[in-house]
Amino acid sequence: MDRISPVRWLSSLGAPMVVGMSTIAIVLGAVVMLRHGRAVELAFLFPPGLASVLVWRGYVKERRQREQLDLLLASLRETTTSQLEMAIHQLLRIARRLHHAEYAELVILPSEPEEPFLICSSGLRGDTLHRPEKPSEADAAVLEIARRAGPTPTIVEGERGAPGLVLAERGLRDAIVGAVAGDERPLGALVVGDCMSDGATFDSDDLAVFATFVGHVSVVLENGRLGQSLEQLAELKEQLRHQAFHDSLTGLPNRVLFTESVARALDGVGPDTPVPSVLFLDLDDFKVVNDTWGHAAGDELLVHAADRLRRAVRSSDMPARLGGDEFAVLLTEGGMGAARDAAERIADAFDTPFSVHDRTFAVRPSIGIAVGQRGVTAEQLLRNADVAMYAAKADEDVQVALYEAETHAAARRRRELALELDGALGRFEIEVHFQPVVSLVSGVIEAFEALVRWAHPVHGLMSPGDFLPIADNRQMAAIGKRVVAEACRHASLWHEAVGGTRRVGIWVNLSAIELTSDHLVQDIRSALERTRLDPGLLTVEITESSVIKGEEFAIRKMRDLRELGVRVAIDDFGTGYSSLSRLGEFPLDVLKIPQPFVDRLVDADADVSLVDAILRLAGSLGLGAVAEGVEREVQADLLRELGCGLGQGYLYAPALDGDFVLRLLRSGITLPAPHGFRSAPPVGAQARDERRVA
Ligand code: C2E
Ligand code: CA
Ligand code: CA
């Protein structure tokens, strides 16, 4: 291959690449639809497919006039380059969609030493492209990882070394990196980072899809190879088709194929024909194995589990892996009796513990059964079996449960909401609102507490009490990460808005789950770095009970956070069975006085002893104090008299939308309701208050 500059070879493949890309987009679109069981909508891809073919034929004809065109192309280089940029970004967006990823990046090597690198990325904050002379340390690390990985892409995790560098600079938790290899030389590397919805991390399925995809990216990027690449597209289609229907780890049919088979079985149901039924299995304690002994052990366990499942069912039944530790079986006949028998055989098959990596693990499935009937869709039948499984899982004494519409109505609603929650994160329905934390002395807003909301398309704005209890650990972790990121992003905007010496803090609630996460400190550090927020402005709120759950571990996390410069508050202080005696040993900055205690401050003669005791305790330990749920003027007066510096509650404001907060801060308003808004005191007075409050 001639050695030509990257800009030139990229420019010269402008048109073919756009055609290639749209063809890939169409094929991948088809695969994604098939994966999600939306075969009917494939028809919509026909017009763009036809258009692609027509465009391609035009291009072949055009190629004959290549020599004349070369001259023209040279003069049009600038415009084609920008078209190419669009094409590359389109490619990156496809990569993100394929992997449900927040981020994708392509690092392209120069073909001549004096040419620049080309680095394109696509993420939640938009597309970027730059052409540095030298790759940054983190980009060099990407190329190094890709070079070492060779033809197989690799999952990048951890805080140390090249992986740590790659992730930290981009603010990613994990990523897949793969080499983009040309025929004669390496072309660069592709990065896909931060899985958003499907699971907390990337898995072997992602690696398989990535390998196929990056292989094709190489072909598309290679100059003059488009003709061949179109031929390979047919092969690629076959390959992706198989991947689209089977689970790469266990070889079992996947959710797409399973759902289609259930739909076919239901289609045939008549008055006298056998009804199909579905078993839904979830492996109890699988997550513990995975988290404690690593993904390799988890994967091996899943392979063994799949084998046992295969052997436990009849040859006419169809076992499948739906994802994670969820399996299902379709029985096309035999009704309820056959389904119960199958469930029993499967339960027996899991009685013997598994041996993996020289260890034994007792892992048992919770099984839900749903029997089909006319008019029920495949999705409904699966959902019913899932709801029954959920009920079995919730009851320690029950291993197999049968779906019954009435008894499971409430469970069903909860389960449906829990399942919707995954999509909600992807659709950005999880929002953060902000309640002002106000100086009880001056009325100046000192900080905001971030409170999560679900902007549900049907139920409207939902409070955390309506959906946090149904979220599983993975979802809680994802919600927490979103809240931290959003809170830091808004706080940094506020910082710009108020300017000068004024400091507006941001307070974020951490769940017990987040406190046990290995990613917590790194996630918070990345969020702070990405938004350039002063760590001193961030306070995390944790409840007593979540500290007590994993005391040593939690205390270590609190220390790590404080080392970052982040402050730590105890939320709802005094409502848990706190080991008050040990409070002095906890790495803490603030106590939050819960609303029920503030509620007692009803009038001037109220019993103030409890609140007074907490404030004295805080004072003696050198901690700040915030009173929550301040609704009435008399409460604010008493709190002020008792020496409480900060308060929040409906007396001042409820949780507010982020844009509104920005306007509020720009206006410089203070919140001493109910007498209406007062204007901000002079800067000197404000600084005095801050000192007193701190
Ligand atoms: P919390 O941390 O104690 O938050 C205070 C709750 O009291 C908020 O309810 C707030 O809207 C409400 N509130 C504030 N002022 C008043 C008042 O004057 N009167 C009354 N009656 N209520 C007031 P919200 O937003 O429904 O949150 C409920 C709980 O959900 C929070 O209690 C917190 O434990 C949890 N939560 C909220 N957001 C998050 C989050 O992002 N992550 C985690 N892990 N938990 C969160
Ligand atoms: Ca709180
Ligand atoms: Ca609270």
Side-chain angles (χ1 to χ4, degrees):
M1 196 176 94
D2 284 345
R3 290 177 69 77
I4 50 172
S5 78
V7 172
R8 179 147 168 240
W9 70 252
L10 281 174
S11 305
S12 65
L13 54 92
M17 184 146 156
V18 171
V19 175
M21 216 80 68
S22 45
T23 315
I24 299 178
I26 290 162
V27 172
L28 294 176
V31 172
V32 170
M33 283 184 184
L34 284 172
R35 266 185 153 193
H36 294 281
R38 292 158 65 177
V40 177
E41 289 162 35
L42 279 175
F44 292 117
L45 291 179
F46 182 67
L50 185 65
S52 244
V53 170
L54 291 177
V55 172
W56 171 244
R57 283 177 55 178
Y59 169 68
V60 171
K61 192 170 150 223
E62 207 178 317
R63 209 159 111 169
R64 278 188 230 118
Q65 306 156 342
R66 187 61 171 256
E67 276 168 346
Q68 291 119 303
L69 268 180
D70 267 355
L71 230 141
L72 189 62
L73 275 177
S75 65
L76 284 175
R77 195 161 295 151
E78 286 318 308
T79 36
T80 13
T81 304
S82 73
Q83 196 183 8
L84 260 164
E85 289 176 15
M86 270 168 52
I88 288 178
H89 283 127
Q90 192 186 346
L91 187 71
L92 292 176
R93 282 192 290 270
I94 293 170
R96 282 177 52 201
R97 223 177 316 141
L98 261 182
H99 293 281
H100 297 278
E102 287 186 4
Y103 183 81
E105 177 183 326
L106 192 57
V107 180
I108 301 178
L109 293 165
S111 59
E112 302 281 356
E114 67 275 11
E115 293 287 347
F117 284 73
L118 190 63
I119 295 167
C120 309
S121 74
S122 161
L124 296 179
R125 311 182 114 209
D127 296 338
T128 68
L129 180 141
H130 55 282
R131 298 189 175 79
E133 296 282 302
K134 257 177 46 184
S136 70
E137 239 185 299
D139 290 329
V142 165
L143 291 166
E144 178 55 20
I145 291 172
R147 191 186 64 75
R148 261 189 273 152
T152 27
T154 176
I155 293 183
V156 174
E157 288 169 314
E159 295 183 12
R160 269 178 248 264
L165 199 62
V166 169
L167 298 176
E169 176 157 298
R170 294 165 180 80
L172 301 176
R173 195 179 58 240
D174 61 354
I176 305 180
V177 172
V180 185
D183 262 3
E184 318 252 307
R185 63 180 191 94
L187 297 178
L190 178 68
V191 183
V192 168
D194 270 14
C195 195
M196 308 203 269
S197 55
D198 268 349
T201 51
F202 294 113
D203 59 17
S204 51
D205 277 349
D206 282 301
L207 279 180
V209 171
F210 188 101
T212 314
F213 187 72
V214 78
H216 202 72
V217 170
S218 311
V219 175
V220 170
L221 284 184
E222 279 263 68
N223 193 15
R225 296 287 309 279
L226 199 80
Q228 239 170 304
S229 100
L230 281 187
E231 277 163 33
Q232 285 174 357
L233 216 55
E235 258 174 60
L236 176 77
K237 215 161 128 184
E238 262 319 297
Q239 236 173 309
L240 286 174
R241 245 184 102 75
H242 185 85
Q243 278 173 13
F245 287 128
H246 289 85
D247 164 41
S248 61
L249 181 66
T250 61
L252 287 177
N254 66 8
R255 185 184 285 271
V256 178
L257 184 52
F258 186 77
T259 314
E260 275 183 14
S261 307
V262 174
R264 258 200 309 276
L266 283 167
D267 258 354
V269 174
D272 307 310
T273 47
V275 282
S277 43
V278 165
L279 267 54
F280 200 109
L281 283 79
D282 182 284
L283 303 184
D284 301 340
D285 294 331
F286 169 75
K287 211 182 153 339
V288 179
V289 176
N290 217 33
D291 290 353
T292 320
W293 303 104
H295 289 297
D299 283 356
E300 199 179 324
L301 182 68
L302 289 172
V303 172
H304 290 319
D307 280 343
R308 289 200 193 174
L309 184 61
R310 261 194 210 100
R311 271 182 273 137
V313 300
R314 301 169 306 186
S315 58
S316 56
D317 306 334
M318 179 190 203
R321 179 172 173 224
L322 302 185
D325 58 347
E326 289 176 352
F327 294 86
V329 182
L330 165 66
L331 292 86
T332 44
E333 51 187 46
M336 175 109 68
R340 277 191 195 280
D341 288 348
E344 246 164 62
R345 279 198 311 276
I346 293 168
D348 288 347
F350 279 77
D351 264 350
T352 324
F354 289 85
S355 77
V356 171
H357 292 187
D358 299 331
R359 288 175 200 284
T360 45
F361 300 107
V363 171
R364 297 170 55 76
S366 294
I367 306 175
I369 302 176
V371 181
Q373 54 188 333
R374 283 181 75 166
V376 167
T377 66
E379 284 76 18
Q380 282 166 339
L381 189 57
L382 245 116
R383 184 67 56 86
N384 293 349
D386 179 20
V387 166
M389 181 282 294
Y390 202 55
K393 208 179 182 64
D395 189 338
E396 262 181 29
D397 301 325
V398 176
Q399 191 179 6
V400 179
L402 183 72
Y403 177 77
E404 281 158 296
E406 278 119 61
T407 44
H408 287 147
R412 187 194 168 102
R413 270 196 301 279
R414 275 203 309 280
R415 184 65 172 150
E416 272 170 357
L417 212 53
L419 292 168
E420 265 183 68
L421 197 49
D422 275 334
L425 278 155
R427 290 188 299 270
F428 298 94
E429 288 168 10
I430 300 302
E431 296 179 354
V432 184
H433 286 204
F434 304 93
Q435 183 177 39
V437 178
V438 177
S439 160
L440 292 173
V441 183
S442 66
V444 170
I445 298 172
E446 300 284 341
F448 288 87
E449 177 176 359
L451 293 162
V452 68
R453 299 286 181 265
W454 179 356
H456 192 282
V458 178
H459 309 309
L461 200 63
M462 289 170 67
S463 294
D466 297 330
F467 62 93
L468 291 186
I470 55 153
D472 62 25
N473 291 359
R474 181 178 56 77
Q475 291 170 327
M476 276 305 285
I479 292 171
K481 191 177 164 193
R482 169 77 50 85
V483 172
V484 168
E486 276 295 281
C488 291
R489 187 172 72 81
H490 280 275
S492 116
L493 291 176
W494 304 336
H495 187 69
E496 280 168 26
V498 296
T501 53
R502 173 101 194 266
R503 288 166 64 78
V504 179
I506 179 77
W507 299 50
V508 176
N509 294 284
L510 293 187
S511 62
I513 298 302
E514 285 168 89
L515 210 57
T516 59
S517 153
D518 288 331
H519 302 299
L520 175 72
V521 179
Q522 175 58 28
D523 282 351
I524 290 183
R525 185 189 294 131
S526 319
L528 287 167
E529 283 170 2
R530 214 167 13 203
T531 55
R532 295 175 210 277
L533 186 72
D534 173 359
L537 289 176
L538 176 65
T539 302
V540 295
E541 298 186 11
I542 51 194
T543 59
E544 286 168 76
S545 51
S546 60
V547 176
I548 286 158
K549 255 181 207 157
E551 205 165 285
E552 291 315 319
F553 193 77
I555 290 176
R556 208 163 54 234
K557 285 276 139 76
M558 290 157 81
R559 284 224 169 84
D560 291 348
L561 286 170
R562 284 179 98 219
E563 250 163 50
L564 275 186
V566 172
R567 304 190 325 145
V568 178
I570 291 276
D571 203 354
D572 298 337
F573 179 77
T575 55
Y577 21 63
S578 171
S579 37
L580 286 176
S581 55
R582 293 200 53 199
L583 197 65
E585 298 167 37
F586 292 170
L588 272 187
D589 301 278
V590 179
L591 300 182
K592 293 195 78 172
I593 305 170
Q595 174 166 15
F597 299 175
V598 175
D599 280 346
R600 297 181 181 200
L601 310 177
V602 277
D603 52 46
D605 306 321
D607 175 13
V608 298
S609 57
L610 192 55
V611 173
D612 188 37
I614 295 178
L615 287 169
R616 280 173 198 279
L617 182 71
S620 68
L621 293 172
L623 305 176
V626 183
E628 293 184 314
V630 182
E631 292 183 348
R632 299 160 59 181
E633 193 90 18
V634 57
Q635 295 172 321
D637 290 342
L638 281 171
L639 285 162
R640 214 176 359 248
E641 277 167 31
L642 292 169
C644 184
L646 297 173
Q648 61 187 109
Y650 296 162
L651 174 65
Y652 304 103
L656 307 166
D657 158 73
D659 291 337
F660 184 82
V661 168
L662 200 58
R663 286 203 296 277
L664 189 71
L665 286 173
R666 285 206 179 109
S667 74
I669 272 169
T670 59
L671 294 174
H675 304 305
F677 292 136
R678 253 189 249 146
S679 61
V683 171
Q686 186 183 320
R688 263 198 313 281
D689 281 338
E690 265 163 14
R691 269 200 305 279
R692 211 173 324 154
V693 165

